[in-house]
Amino acid sequence: MSTTFQLDTSTSRANPTPQPMKRLTVPKIRARKSEGDSREPLVMLTAYTARQAQLLDAHCDMLLVGDSLGQVIYGLPSTVPVTLDMMVNHAAAVVRGSYHAVVVVDMPFGSYEGSKEKAFDSAARLLKESGAAAVKLEGGEQMAETVAFLNQRGIPVMGHVGLTPQAVNVLGGYMARGRDEAEAQKIIGDAKALDEAGAFAIVLEGVLEPIAVEATRAVACPTIGIGASAQCDGQVLVTEDMLGMFDRVPRFVKKYENIADVIEKTVAQYAEEVRGRAFPSSDQTYQPKG
Ligand code: KIV
């Protein structure tokens, strides 16, 4: 049955019919692995807008308000220029559009690396102003103290290791990570450090498959793969990538649709009908009664 939405103008919230199930929680996500129930992998996709969240919500365990919105929504060259204000606004929209999935919001570059106190202030603002349930931050061992600090103060943290796009200026590009033994061991060590610090899940991005498998076995919390392995405890993709909004996508993306084609064809038809005065027709115009 498809879901319909009615706008409650007093809260600006679109209420769905039929009423969906209760929202999942961070402990439930973590428990999927700790209780030995990660046979069914966790499903996560990115979402940046309320309508997108409405469409994805029932199918996902988690919605990630990724800082990839810098490129996808704002046309920026990387995630580096993304601000806390952008993340707050998009996260609030996604929370308004969802009822079921745990909403996780990315901490943007520069909002958390300086000190654990700064990280707390940024994360607290993200959760207070958006209603999201958790934050995600990039980095391994060097961020473990911050992860523990936030977690102990009521902020659940998802880690992100391997290919960490905010570090593009240090890494020099978006290549897969862990091609030599030292780097492979560093990624596994990073995952373990975040796990011990209390991360409730860890994204493994762009790592060689054996590293993803070993890291998944080595940590108690669920791993969420992107360009990693089907053996991870869950998977995430950027929604616009898997829908086929862009011609060029990373090798690890499977395009399930070609939405860009659908949009192009539809807009071309609209333009033709406007120019030929076929739109609007009598179906779309108001006539005097009687
Ligand atoms: O920003 C993002 O969308 C992400 C995912 C690709 C994991 O971090």
Side-chain angles (χ1 to χ4, degrees):
M1 193 193 315
S2 72
T3 309
T4 57
F5 291 87
Q6 221 151 28
L7 185 68
D8 176 346
T9 46
S10 62
T11 60
S12 299
R13 184 154 196 162
N15 291 314
T17 313
Q19 279 289 323
M21 51 287 227
K22 264 177 76 178
R23 202 185 277 280
L24 283 166
T25 61
V26 165
K28 280 195 178 131
I29 297 290
R30 197 174 200 288
R32 285 272 285 272
K33 183 164 180 179
S34 58
E35 289 171 7
D37 194 17
S38 56
R39 277 161 303 175
E40 185 174 281
L42 291 157
V43 178
M44 181 158 92
L45 278 172
T46 59
Y48 314 124
T49 67
R51 182 59 183 147
Q52 192 179 29
Q54 288 170 353
L55 294 170
L56 306 181
D57 188 39
H59 305 283
C60 293
D61 301 302
M62 290 181 280
L63 293 176
L64 173 65
V65 187
D67 60 354
S68 50
L69 61 74
Q71 289 111 314
V72 176
I73 302 279
Y74 291 93
L76 293 167
S78 74
T79 55
V80 172
V82 171
T83 65
L84 212 46
D85 283 345
M86 287 176 184
M87 297 311 298
V88 166
N89 290 336
H90 286 276
V94 169
V95 170
R96 283 194 292 272
S98 62
Y99 284 78
H100 162 65
V102 170
V103 177
V104 182
V105 52
D106 254 336
M107 300 192 71
F109 179 69
S111 72
Y112 64 95
E113 304 88 332
S115 70
K116 50 191 195 301
E117 290 78 13
K118 175 159 184 164
F120 179 82
D121 289 347
S122 303
R125 182 175 168 219
L126 283 171
L127 298 200
K128 279 160 85 100
E129 293 184 27
S130 73
V135 297
K136 175 166 86 57
L137 54 78
E138 295 183 10
E141 211 177 331
Q142 80 280 21
M143 294 313 303
E145 202 186 330
T146 299
V147 170
F149 189 82
L150 297 186
N151 199 33
Q152 285 154 9
R153 285 158 182 77
I155 300 179
V157 183
M158 177 180 279
H160 183 156
V161 301
L163 170 53
T164 48
Q166 292 177 8
V168 62
N169 290 315
V170 172
L171 301 176
Y174 298 102
M175 306 75 83
R177 311 301 300 172
R179 289 204 181 274
D180 65 57
E181 187 53 23
E183 203 172 84
Q185 288 313 317
K186 163 104 177 76
I187 293 165
I188 293 161
D190 281 343
K192 283 185 185 166
L194 294 175
D195 186 44
E196 279 158 22
F200 76 93
I202 301 169
V203 169
L204 300 175
E205 177 166 358
V207 297
L208 301 199
E209 178 154 39
I211 300 173
V213 173
E214 194 176 333
T216 298
R217 289 199 188 119
V219 298
C221 69
T223 58
I224 311 292
I226 173 164
S229 168
Q231 299 310 310
C232 290
D233 303 301
Q235 299 295 325
V236 61
L237 281 176
V238 170
T239 300
E240 283 76 358
D241 284 349
M242 58 85 88
L243 289 178
M245 273 293 274
F246 301 107
D247 292 338
R248 289 193 53 207
V249 290
R251 185 174 115 69
F252 57 70
V253 172
K254 176 172 174 183
K255 281 196 196 182
Y256 285 82
E257 246 307 337
N258 197 333
I259 285 292
D261 257 12
V262 174
I263 294 175
E264 285 231 48
K265 281 191 196 124
T266 310
V267 173
Q269 185 184 346
Y270 167 74
E272 192 183 308
E273 291 188 9
V274 168
R275 292 189 178 113
R277 296 197 191 280
F279 175 83
S281 72
S282 56
D283 284 348
Q284 291 101 25
T285 48
Y286 301 99
Q287 304 303 328
K289 285 207 176 102

